[in-house]
Amino acid sequence: MQLFEKLIEHPEAVRLVLENTHRLPAEDVPLVEAQGLALAEDLEARFDSPPFDNSAVDGYALRSADAEAGRTFRVVDEAPAGRPAAKSVGEGEAIKIFTGGVIPEGSDAIVMVENTSGWGEEFELKKAAAAGQNVRGSGEDVREGDVILRAGTEVGPPEIALAATQGYGTLPVYRRPEVVVLSTGTELVEPGERELEPGEIYDSNSFAVMAQVHEVGARARRVSAASDDAAAIRDAVGEALRTADVVVTSGGVSVGEKDLVKGTMLELGVEQLFWGVKFKPGKPLFFGMRDGASVFGLPGNPVSAMVCFELFVRPALVKMMGREDRGRPRIQVYFEEAVKNSFGRMHAMRVSLEQTEKGWLARSVGAQGSGLVSSLTKADALALIGPGSEGVRAGEPVEAIVLREGVIL
Ligand code: AMP
Ligand code: MG
C-alpha cells in the first residue's frame, strides 16, 4: 500500500474542490419539485395580478353614491367567485357578491353582509360605504412585466405561491445534483437486516451521508456496502459513475493493506486532485474527477466521514445548485480555557455553543475520537483550531462552522 505522497492544508483542499465544481445546468421542473433549488432566470409577471377588480368580503356590491345608512336596496343578481354577474348595478340596486367575485359593472363599493340587515331579495344598509371599499384592485399584487422573482432566489413556499398565481406550472432552476453514496468495508452489515456476528458493525456512514445530502437538497441514492475487495469496489464505483454527478464513498481510503478505494478510483480513470488533508478528523480524504463527475473518498471513521462531508462535499453540492448563499454560517467563538492542538494539523473540534455576554462560548463535546458517533449528536459547531501545540488561548477568537443553525438564531 502507498503512503500519502503529499498532504495539503484544509483551505487548499476546499479551493481544489470548489475550483473543480461547477453549477449544474438549468432545467424546467414542476413547481413543487423546485423547492430548495435556485432560480436560473428572472421570472416576470405575465399579467396584472389579481387579473380583475374583485371583492375582499362576502356582501353586496352597490354604488357608493347611494350608500347612506338606513337605505334599502333591491338585489338584482349575484356574483360568486368564478361567475361574474350578468347584470349591472343601477341606482338603489345591489348584487350579492362573495370573496373573489368580479366587481359588477356600475358598482364601486362592497358592503359586508354584517353591515346590512342580511341576505335576501332586499336589505337595509346599516352603515354608509365609501367608493372603493372592500374592492381589491386588479394589479395591486403585481404588475405585468414586473420581475417578481430574481435569478438566484431560493425557491420556497412563498416563491411557489407567487409563481403559481402567474400560471407558471414549471420553474427554471439549477438541477438537483445526483449523488451516489457507497460504503466500503467487509465488516459492514445493513442496519435492520440481522444481528451482528463477531467483528461486524452496522453501516452507519451511508445513512449519515444520505441524510447530509438530503439536508442540502440534492438527490441521493444509496447502494449497498461493498466489501474490501478491489473488484467489488470497482464494480460499485464504476456503476455509480455512470449516472452520478457526485460519488461519495466511505472507508478503505487510508494506507492500510485493505484500503483499496483510492487505487480502484485511479484504475477507473478518476483523476486524483488530492489524497490526504492536514486536518483532523479526516486526514485520508480523497478527491478526484472523472468526465465532470466528482468523487469523494471519505474516511471510514464515522465522525471523519461526516465532518469531511461538511467541510468538502457540502460546499460542492451547494455550488452545483447555484446556492452559494447557503453555506453553513461561520461565527467567532471563544473558549474559557486554553485549548491545545497537539495533532500538528488543523483540528475541526466538535463543540457545543452557548451565548454569553462575551459572545459565543464554545465547549468541547468531550472526547474527540473519530469513532464516537454519539459526540456528533452533541455538537452545535466545528471550531477550527489551527495547528501548533499552543492551540488557542482562553478568550481568543476562533472561527467555527455552525452545524445547527437553530442554535445561533
Ligand atoms: P477505514 O477507513 O475503512 O479504515 O475504517 C475506519 C473505521 O471506520 C473502522 O473502524 C471501520 O470499521 C469504520 N467504518 C468504516 N466504514 C464504516 C461505515 N460505513 N459505518 C460505520 N463505520 C465504518
Ligand atoms: Mg475499512
Side-chain angles (χ1 to χ4, degrees), residues 184-185 187 228 251-252 258-259:
T184 70
E187 72 278 31
D228 294 311
K258 302 287 178 199
D259 290 335

Side-chain angles (χ1 to χ4, degrees), residues 100 117 132 176 195 267 313 315 323 392:
S117 55
R176 232 178 257 283
E195 299 295 307
E267 275 171 44
V313 188
R323 299 278 312 282
V392 295

